[in-house]
Amino acid sequence: MWLKPEEVLLKNALKLWVQERSNQYFVLQRRRGYGEEGGGGLAGLLVGTLDAVLDSTSKVAPFRILHQTPDSQVYWSIACGSSREEITEHWDWLEHNVMKTLSVFDSNEDITSFVQGKIRGLIAEEGKSSFTKEEDPEKFREGLMKFEKCFGLPEKEKLVTYYSCSYWKGRVPCQGWLYLSTNFLSFYSFLLGAEIKLIISWDEISKLEKTSNVILTESIHVCSHGEDHYFSMFLHISETFLLMEQLANYAVRRLFDKETFENDPVLHDPLQITKRGLESRAHSEQFSAFFRLPKEETLKEVHECFLWVPFSHYNTHGKMCISENYICFASQDGSLCSVIIPLREVTGVDKADPANRGVSISTKGKTAFRFTEVRDFEQLVAKLRMKCNATSSPQHIINTEVAASSASDTPKDFDAGLSKTDQRDNSKTVSTEALMTVYHPQDAENLDSKMLKEKMKEQSWNILFVERGHGVSMFRTKKTRDLVVRGIPEALRGELWLLFSGAVNDMASNPGYYTELVEKSLGTCTLATDEIERDLRRSLPEHPAFQSDTGISALRRVLTAYAYRNPQIGYCQAMNILTSVLLLYAKEEEAFWLLVAVCERMLPDYFNRRIIGALVDQAVFEELIRVHLPQLTDHMTDMTFFSSVSLSWFLTLFISVLPIESAVNVVDCFFYDGIKAILQLGLAVLEYNMERLLTCKDDAEAVTVLNRFFDSVTNKDSPLPPAVQQGSNLTDAKSDHPKVDITDLIRESNERYGDIRYEDVESMRCSNRLYVIQTLEATTKQNVLRVVSQDVKFSPSDLEELYELFKKEHFLSCYWNVNSPALQHHDASLPYLDQYRIDCQQFRVLCHLLSPWSHCANRDSLALWTFRLMDESSDCLINFKQFACVLDTMYNGSFTDKLKLLFKLHIPPAFTEVESLSPSKGGDLSKEELIHFSQLSVSSVGDSLESDSLKSSPEKGKGKVDIQAYLKQWQDELLKKEENIKDLPRMNQSQFIQFSKTLYNLFHGDPEEELLYRAIAVVTSLLLKMEEVGRRLQSPTSPVKSPAAVTEVPAEIPRKGQEESSSEQTEGSRAQSLRGNHEWSFAFEQILASLLNEPAFVRFFEKPHDIKVKIESAKNLQLKARTRV
């Protein structure tokens, strides 16, 4: 590798380096201790330790080239190499391309200048095609070279960054280097002859956290397969941890959670991941989540500045964040002030008060925002003006009037403006009114005490709108939160949900989208639509809005449209309950965009098939319980109680457990504060019932306590009629709980747990996501092992090790292939056995590592035929059960079982001719050839029946599932009888020749090799004689050659030096004889009976093989095997 020329002092360097070659201008040196017997003694050990610990060019490689000039003591390092071949290649290039040129220069300075320029040019040329684009390319190239040298991973493995740190083995720290790449966390250390090399794939990590104790002030804890690893002494531990967290979550999403990953083009190609890109992505995700912006928004700039707050008459300090379509501000002085300004709303950007570097931004709502102390404010004004000109288009102008309506606009005007354009073409299909306004219109003349309170709430919000603005660009402060906690008025609820959730931005950016979606989705018939129809009348059945066709139809349209928009989620239970509440207070289109905001941004991964997001937040909830309610944790022996009882809280935002009039107040807080509001309320509920829970003897009693508490929660200020209120129907006799007002409960949750920071919740989500995914994977493994263990004789520990190797091979095909077929076929919704499957190429690798017959010369052909035999569905993929069963036959099967397997490998559908394609490679097959042969269809007995059954079998994971077909298939499998050897088809001539060759190859290297060769010759001759006798009995008049003349076997089997040629001659003569008559064939019973007469055969196939040895070897070689492939 060429290096940026750096000056080198040779005064003491000669103790560390040995000169190997030199000429007038260049010196090639070798690192002392490298390549010497015994490691070069003590000097070699010391040099090795220095290389591992010090961050210098010399540590990277054992060879280097220096440039020197005559009569000068100054040397320049220009190249290094990890092997003698690499450095020799550089040396030869210098001799052929540079040496002759140097003689034309007159001065040493010119020579040095030319060499330096030439080397820099070479580095720049290499950099054009290199994907290592980091802040310090030279240093990064050195790290990349050492990474490749130490770990020997495939070239496609992309190094993201590396850090100097200490790895703790017990109480002893080992100084070395931590390398973070797209698929692995790797550590290397070399101290005084002791080498430590650690490679952990990100998908194996179950815990990743920052910890501290007495010995380690601050360290990073990594847990993989139950083993704990600690890394410390980082220069920037927070930066390191953030990158590790991102890489781990990226790998987990790519490999385990394909549903959400597929729509993520930024991370779709592992080769494009860089340290800078990951950091930028983390900031963008935090930015869009905090301000509830569309996921596509990317944070472009951040400016520290002051924002003038007109209603408080002071400047608040904070950060201005700018993306493609939004200008946002969040204070950092504790005032909790934030502002979101969509560029579609901006009417002007001007310089204001140049002395204070001010920027003034005017919006359509006639509001001006003044930012001061903005660095490079003139450039910022110019950029924002350009952005605003690009954003102002007709489609935005229509909708923006809604989002930035002035304070004088009434909610009615707000709603009318929103739907005027988008709904006019389809008013018959899409409802334009919130269901609450239809079924519970407010009577302005007859105001009772509750309605008076409601009007006072509305007045408080109107005052807030006058002071702080109305619409998407309003100032959001502590006062806003206080009003939300008190409960949003019924008339404003839909509008403010839309505003605080960010759904207003989605709707403004996609005019007419929902109407179009409804037209496309109505009438479609899928599994999701069936489930939706089933649940429609279970959604708030007690509410009159959902006892009529109006509410039911609106609910159907919203859920069906969303299932059509997002087929990865489709429909999940709990979505109907949530959507029905949204429809009460928002118009149909608004309810749709609110559902989008909840499912895709605010509660990510909640409503997929495995509800991963909900499980993650439950784990966060358990963590918060341990911190804030330790006495409850000490009392509960099993924390899973909290998970089981709180799942409905998270999935339905307490709607399923609280009366509707109280639940909507919780939804108010959720749309303003996100998941933090649900976590806080959950803690408050547990604390409120602490005394009763501590006296509970079991989980059932605790569940009863909580259910009675929820039944006692009321909303004394709710203006809903008594017929609709669920809490009002309860009598005091039904519960010993005193009535609890929801407003008081929410206020208490904010006061006690309001210090839980949003950033902390997100960090806990990241760390617990790894744990949840690994827990789900452990469940999958246990279920697969339980099913497979019934059909094999492997010990549980061996079977578990085989599963890990099988799954690892599946993932290895996904690591470096952007469009991996294996990854495309991974679907968590499939039955456990079918979640991980491998193709023929992957099976070949495992076969070579684990099969007791892997020494066979035609092992590639054997692996191919075995794969074809197992691939009963003809989709070129096999699952773990099929893999384990065939291995079990090889290791634990009887003589008959093993022979039957070999027999079946040499007849269709398994057998196919392979030798003719690549004769130069012998028995080895390339990956392309292997895949080609695995996909060939070979006709066999019963093929037509099999093809019929395949056509009728239900298609997995696609469209509507035919349950009846699944049941029939399951019944057929249960009734399937054990295969009878008499049912096996006969083996023809060419198949029998290949069968004999395979036996010869299997016996090679066995202690009884000579005896086995003689036995196979005898058996082959006997079989042919038997076949001839049978033919004579059937047609005595037909002339047949004497079998003895055709297959005469020498009395003396040659010694080992001549064995192979002898076997080839025997096979050749046999093939010649068989070509004479095409009708010869052998039944399995004939072959079995003949081989049973040879004790050497029986001993060979009944010889025990220890799979533990193979498994241990495979664990060490699996990654290297993938590198070679």
Side-chain angles (χ1 to χ4, degrees):
M1 180 177 75
W2 300 109
L3 300 174
K4 181 181 175 183
E6 288 186 1
E7 197 171 320
V8 176
L9 296 175
L10 288 187
K11 184 178 179 183
N12 297 316
L14 293 175
K15 296 176 183 177
L16 303 178
W17 294 89
V18 179
Q19 184 169 308
E20 292 219 327
R21 298 168 75 171
S22 67
N23 58 36
Q24 190 178 2
Y25 299 106
F26 301 102
V27 178
L28 191 156
Q29 295 180 331
R30 172 178 52 80
R31 193 73 163 160
R32 189 177 294 277
Y34 184 85
E36 298 177 20
E37 290 187 11
L42 181 59
L45 285 178
L46 289 171
V47 171
T49 300
L50 284 171
D51 288 349
V53 175
L54 298 179
D55 182 12
S56 63
T57 303
S58 61
K59 80 175 193 321
V60 175
F63 296 96
R64 71 177 181 179
I65 296 175
L66 304 178
H67 164 60
Q68 62 174 353
T69 53
D71 308 322
S72 172
Q73 298 300 313
V74 178
Y75 288 75
W76 299 83
S77 64
I78 59 171
C80 67
S82 58
S83 65
R84 193 179 297 276
E85 292 75 16
E86 182 185 1
I87 205 70
T88 303
E89 186 181 334
H90 286 343
W91 179 268
D92 292 342
W93 189 91
L94 289 170
E95 284 191 331
H96 288 100
N97 297 280
V98 180
M99 282 289 293
K100 295 175 183 177
T101 311
L102 297 182
S103 60
V104 303
F105 292 102
D106 295 329
S107 68
N108 290 342
E109 290 78 9
D110 291 342
I111 292 173
T112 302
S113 178
F114 174 80
V115 171
Q116 290 180 352
K118 189 68 181 173
I119 300 302
R120 287 194 179 98
L122 290 171
I123 292 171
E125 196 64 34
E126 283 181 351
K128 287 180 184 177
S129 58
S130 171
F131 52 75
T132 57
K133 299 173 183 174
E134 297 298 326
E135 294 174 4
D136 188 351
E138 286 298 322
K139 192 175 178 184
F140 189 81
R141 286 170 78 245
E142 294 170 15
L144 177 61
M145 189 170 182
K146 186 172 182 187
F147 171 71
E148 291 172 347
K149 173 195 164 191
C150 290
F151 302 104
L153 295 170
E155 290 181 7
K156 285 188 177 180
E157 180 62 17
K158 172 76 187 316
L159 177 65
V160 176
T161 189
Y162 62 101
Y163 300 96
S164 172
C165 71
S166 292
Y167 171 65
W168 290 79
K169 289 199 75 177
R171 293 180 172 268
V172 181
C174 304
Q175 182 63 28
W177 293 88
L178 181 71
Y179 297 88
L180 307 181
S181 59
T182 48
N183 297 297
F184 298 97
L185 177 156
S186 313
F187 177 82
Y188 183 80
S189 172
F190 184 86
L191 290 169
L192 298 177
E195 183 183 57
I196 296 174
K197 192 182 293 186
L198 187 69
I199 302 178
I200 303 171
S201 56
W202 294 114
D203 56 85
E204 294 173 348
I205 293 176
S206 57
K207 183 176 274 189
L208 181 64
E209 60 183 357
K210 279 197 289 187
T211 58
S212 59
N213 55 38
V214 178
I215 301 174
L216 307 175
T217 51
E218 217 174 4
S219 63
I220 295 175
H221 172 213
V222 177
C223 182
S224 170
H225 289 304
E227 293 183 22
D228 294 313
H229 307 276
Y230 292 91
F231 302 92
S232 67
M233 299 187 192
F234 290 97
L235 192 61
H236 305 291
I237 191 166
S238 296
E239 173 197 298
T240 309
F241 180 73
L242 177 65
L243 281 172
M244 291 171 73
E245 201 171 53
Q246 281 185 286
L247 284 167
N249 276 288
Y250 153 72
V252 160
R253 286 175 59 199
R254 180 167 185 247
L255 300 174
F256 295 115
D257 196 12
K258 188 168 64 74
E259 298 172 356
T260 56
F261 187 87
E262 280 178 340
N263 298 321
D264 196 342
V266 181
L267 290 178
H268 192 60
D269 185 357
L271 294 181
Q272 300 307 316
I273 294 177
T274 61
K275 175 186 172 187
R276 188 180 300 170
L278 284 171
E279 288 172 345
S280 171
R281 182 181 176 83
H283 294 315
S284 293
E285 286 177 348
Q286 189 177 1
F287 160 73
S288 57
F290 182 82
F291 290 107
R292 307 279 163 73
L293 301 178
K295 274 183 168 182
E296 299 76 33
E297 289 301 309
T298 305
L299 183 61
K300 298 293 185 184
E301 298 178 54
V302 178
H303 299 271
E304 280 206 28
C305 61
F306 289 87
L307 172 64
W308 174 249
V309 185
F311 49 86
S312 298
H313 303 289
Y314 79 101
N315 282 309
T316 178
H317 176 254
K319 288 185 177 178
M320 180 201 294
C321 305
I322 301 171
S323 66
E324 295 95 332
N325 301 300
Y326 297 89
I327 303 166
C328 302
F329 176 88
S331 65
Q332 294 184 300
D333 56 6
S335 62
L336 301 178
C337 176
S338 65
V339 170
I340 300 168
I341 311 170
L343 291 180
R344 63 176 185 269
E345 297 293 322
V346 176
T347 55
V349 181
D350 302 293
K351 287 182 275 188
D353 192 7
N356 290 322
R357 296 178 292 179
V359 177
S360 176
I361 299 174
S362 306
T363 65
K364 293 174 184 175
K366 301 190 174 76
T367 308
F369 297 91
R370 194 175 74 193
F371 300 90
T372 54
E373 301 301 327
V374 182
R375 184 182 296 178
D376 302 327
F377 73 105
E378 292 179 342
Q379 292 180 16
L380 180 62
V381 168
K383 285 180 189 173
L384 291 178
R385 281 175 177 169
M386 286 180 64
K387 278 179 177 284
C388 292
N389 291 336
T391 314
S392 58
S393 62
Q395 70 171 20
H396 290 294
I397 293 168
I398 295 169
N399 290 280
T400 48
E401 295 172 5
V402 178
S405 56
S406 63
S408 61
D409 291 341
T410 62
K412 188 175 179 181
D413 296 332
F414 182 93
D415 294 339
L418 195 61
S419 61
K420 192 190 317 183
T421 306
D422 298 343
Q423 308 295 345
R424 64 176 177 229
D425 299 328
N426 206 8
S427 56
K428 291 181 181 178
T429 349
V430 178
S431 170
T432 56
E433 291 291 339
L435 295 177
M436 195 62 80
T437 60
V438 177
Y439 288 91
H440 307 295
Q442 293 184 5
D443 187 354
E445 296 180 2
N446 302 317
L447 296 178
D448 57 12
S449 59
K450 289 185 177 180
M451 284 306 301
L452 282 172
K453 283 186 179 180
E454 187 74 3
K455 288 296 177 186
M456 289 173 64
K457 276 187 187 179
E458 285 184 36
Q459 189 60 30
S460 299
W461 277 96
N462 287 328
I463 293 169
L464 185 84
F465 293 151
V466 171
E467 287 183 353
R468 291 157 169 76
H470 190 182
V472 71
S473 299
M474 69 184 290
F475 282 87
R476 303 172 198 206
T477 61
K478 188 175 184 300
K479 179 71 179 293
T480 316
R481 183 197 297 276
D482 292 342
L483 287 179
V484 170
V485 168
R486 283 172 53 191
I488 297 174
E490 300 276 309
L492 295 175
R493 187 161 268 141
E495 172 193 346
L496 293 178
W497 282 359
L498 207 66
L499 196 66
F500 295 145
S501 67
V504 65
N505 297 314
D506 294 321
M507 194 162 74
S509 304
N510 297 279
Y513 175 80
Y514 175 67
T515 309
E516 200 177 307
L517 212 58
V518 168
E519 290 173 353
K520 288 180 181 176
S521 62
L522 280 181
T524 57
C525 186
T526 63
L527 186 61
T529 56
D530 288 350
E531 291 176 348
I532 289 168
E533 288 298 325
R534 185 188 62 208
D535 287 348
L536 282 177
R537 300 193 182 276
R538 302 178 189 173
S539 313
L540 297 186
E542 67 285 342
H543 199 285
F546 297 101
Q547 294 167 1
S548 70
D549 190 55
T550 305
I552 293 292
S553 297
L555 183 59
R556 177 187 293 113
R557 286 192 294 271
V558 173
L559 291 174
T560 306
Y562 186 78
Y564 188 87
R565 164 191 165 87
N566 192 342
Q568 276 82 20
I569 291 178
Y571 171 76
C572 178
Q573 279 191 334
M575 286 171 69
N576 60 319
I577 297 172
L578 177 61
T579 308
S580 57
V581 172
L582 298 178
L583 281 167
L584 288 177
Y585 295 97
K587 296 175 195 170
E588 195 174 310
E589 184 182 9
E590 295 170 355
F592 170 79
W593 286 112
L594 283 167
L595 184 64
V596 169
V598 171
C599 293
E600 297 176 16
R601 288 204 312 274
M602 300 186 73
L603 296 178
D605 301 339
Y606 259 60
F607 300 101
N608 58 19
R609 294 180 179 95
R610 298 199 287 178
I611 58 169
I612 289 173
L615 297 175
V616 168
D617 283 343
Q618 282 186 298
V620 172
F621 186 50
E622 286 181 20
E623 202 170 321
L624 291 172
I625 292 171
R626 290 189 192 96
V627 174
H628 295 281
L629 304 172
Q631 61 272 45
L632 197 57
T633 311
D634 296 340
H635 176 72
M636 290 290 180
T637 53
D638 187 4
M639 288 293 284
T640 55
F641 162 74
F642 298 111
S643 297
S644 58
V645 78
S646 65
L647 182 61
S648 61
W649 303 357
F650 290 97
L651 280 174
T652 66
L653 308 178
F654 283 92
I655 295 170
S656 62
V657 293
L658 285 174
I660 182 66
E661 66 276 9
S662 301
V664 289
N665 283 37
V666 178
V667 179
D668 294 341
C669 296
F670 168 74
F671 279 127
Y672 192 84
D673 272 333
I675 193 62
K676 178 173 172 283
I678 305 299
L679 294 167
Q680 287 175 185
L681 184 61
L683 291 171
V685 167
L686 293 179
E687 186 185 15
Y688 194 94
N689 293 278
M690 177 82 75
E691 291 181 9
R692 289 185 176 87
L693 289 173
L694 291 176
T695 59
C696 291
K697 296 173 184 176
D698 55 32
D699 292 354
E701 194 177 342
V703 169
T704 304
V705 166
L706 291 174
N707 287 340
R708 285 179 179 169
F709 168 77
F710 287 129
D711 289 341
S712 70
V713 175
T714 61
N715 185 351
K716 61 176 188 264
D717 296 333
S718 174
L720 292 180
V724 175
Q725 292 192 32
Q726 296 169 352
S728 63
N729 299 329
L730 292 168
T731 60
D732 293 336
K734 279 192 177 181
S735 173
D736 56 351
H737 270 284
K739 296 294 182 187
V740 181
D741 187 67
I742 186 65
T743 308
D744 296 336
L745 189 62
I746 291 174
R747 185 183 292 114
E748 190 175 336
S749 74
N750 266 278
E751 289 171 358
R752 288 185 175 275
Y753 307 109
D755 58 344
I756 296 173
R757 296 168 62 243
Y758 165 79
E759 294 82 0
D760 296 336
V761 171
E762 286 303 310
S763 178
M764 285 190 281
R765 271 179 160 180
C766 279
S767 59
N768 281 292
R769 186 181 185 84
L770 298 174
Y771 167 75
V772 167
I773 290 282
Q774 295 298 346
T775 304
L776 290 172
E777 286 302 304
T779 304
T780 300
K781 179 171 75 172
Q782 288 165 9
N783 282 287
V784 169
L785 295 180
R786 189 177 67 248
V787 171
V788 176
S789 62
Q790 298 170 7
D791 298 326
V792 298
K793 297 175 184 174
F794 290 125
S795 68
S797 59
D798 289 344
L799 194 61
E800 186 175 350
E801 296 279 13
L802 286 173
Y803 178 83
E804 293 295 344
L805 287 168
F806 182 89
K807 180 177 160 185
K808 187 71 176 176
E809 191 59 38
H810 169 95
F811 281 160
L812 285 172
S813 69
C814 310
Y815 283 168
W816 304 289
N817 189 353
V818 178
N819 298 311
S820 166
L823 191 59
Q824 289 169 4
H825 287 284
H826 176 225
D827 187 347
S829 67
L830 291 176
Y832 290 119
L833 274 173
D834 292 331
Q835 287 187 21
Y836 294 110
R837 297 189 290 170
I838 58 174
D839 62 18
C840 193
Q841 163 62 18
Q842 297 162 288
F843 176 73
R844 172 171 67 172
V845 173
L846 287 177
C847 229
H848 290 180
L849 292 172
L850 294 167
S851 171
W853 302 338
S854 57
H855 64 281
C856 190
N858 63 334
R859 61 181 187 168
D860 278 2
S861 301
L862 269 182
L864 168 66
W865 298 330
T866 308
F867 181 85
R868 288 170 61 87
L869 180 66
M870 290 185 291
D871 183 19
E872 295 173 355
S873 58
S874 300
D875 59 358
C876 299
L877 294 166
I878 62 168
N879 60 33
F880 178 68
K881 182 177 181 180
Q882 294 164 321
F883 171 76
C885 286
V886 80
L887 267 188
D888 185 61
T889 303
M890 293 177 182
Y891 278 94
N892 303 317
S894 64
F895 172 76
T896 306
D897 292 334
K898 292 177 183 177
L899 195 62
K900 184 166 70 174
L901 174 62
L902 280 171
F903 183 88
K904 289 167 73 174
L905 295 183
H906 292 82
I907 58 174
F911 180 76
T912 182
E913 293 284 353
V914 295
E915 292 84 0
S916 58
L917 202 68
S918 52
S920 60
K921 296 180 184 176
D924 294 338
L925 297 174
S926 68
K927 180 179 177 180
E928 291 73 21
E929 291 168 352
L930 198 72
I931 298 298
H932 166 73
F933 285 127
S934 70
Q935 293 171 348
L936 287 179
S937 58
V938 179
S939 59
S940 64
V941 178
D943 261 1
S944 58
L945 293 172
E946 287 179 15
S947 62
D948 289 343
S949 66
L950 283 172
K951 285 175 188 174
S952 64
S953 66
E955 194 173 0
K956 296 173 183 174
K958 293 183 181 179
K960 194 173 180 181
V961 179
D962 189 347
I963 304 297
Q964 293 298 325
Y966 265 124
L967 290 172
K968 186 176 184 307
Q969 187 177 338
W970 184 38
Q971 186 181 21
D972 291 344
E973 287 176 5
L974 290 175
L975 296 173
K976 193 184 290 181
K977 296 177 182 178
E978 189 176 349
E979 188 177 40
N980 194 320
I981 59 174
K982 291 182 180 179
D983 298 331
L984 292 171
R986 295 174 71 85
M987 183 181 280
N988 67 26
Q989 303 167 21
S990 61
Q991 294 160 5
F992 181 72
I993 292 171
Q994 187 58 59
F995 178 74
S996 303
K997 284 182 180 179
T998 301
L999 289 177
Y1000 272 110
N1001 290 326
L1002 280 177
F1003 301 151
H1004 183 66
D1006 191 84
E1008 294 188 311
E1009 189 174 356
E1010 285 188 28
L1011 198 58
L1012 287 163
Y1013 281 169
R1014 184 180 311 205
I1016 197 171
V1018 171
V1019 167
T1020 307
S1021 178
L1022 177 62
L1023 284 169
L1024 288 170
K1025 287 178 182 177
M1026 287 168 59
E1027 180 63 17
E1028 183 198 353
V1029 170
R1031 286 175 49 74
R1032 279 184 176 176
L1033 290 173
Q1034 287 178 1
S1035 54
T1037 56
S1038 61
V1040 182
K1041 291 182 181 179
S1042 168
V1046 176
T1047 59
E1048 188 173 340
V1049 181
E1052 294 284 336
I1053 294 290
R1055 293 294 167 194
K1056 287 190 178 179
Q1058 302 169 334
E1059 284 163 1
E1060 291 184 13
S1061 61
S1062 164
S1063 64
E1064 286 171 10
Q1065 288 170 5
T1066 310
E1067 290 160 10
S1069 64
R1070 188 183 302 104
Q1072 233 175 10
S1073 70
L1074 288 174
R1075 282 192 209 103
N1077 195 322
H1078 297 289
E1079 297 178 8
W1080 283 8
S1081 62
F1082 302 98
F1084 177 69
E1085 301 100 298
Q1086 294 175 292
I1087 297 175
L1088 176 62
S1090 304
L1091 292 177
L1092 280 171
N1093 288 325
E1094 298 294 332
F1097 269 113
V1098 179
R1099 283 197 301 273
F1100 176 83
F1101 282 108
E1102 290 191 343
K1103 188 191 303 176
H1105 295 278
D1106 186 6
I1107 196 171
K1108 290 184 187 296
V1109 177
K1110 284 278 189 181
I1111 288 173
E1112 286 305 313
S1113 172
K1115 283 158 68 175
N1116 297 325
L1117 297 174
Q1118 190 175 25
L1119 193 55
K1120 292 178 182 176
R1122 172 62 58 174
T1123 305
R1124 287 196 298 272
V1125 169

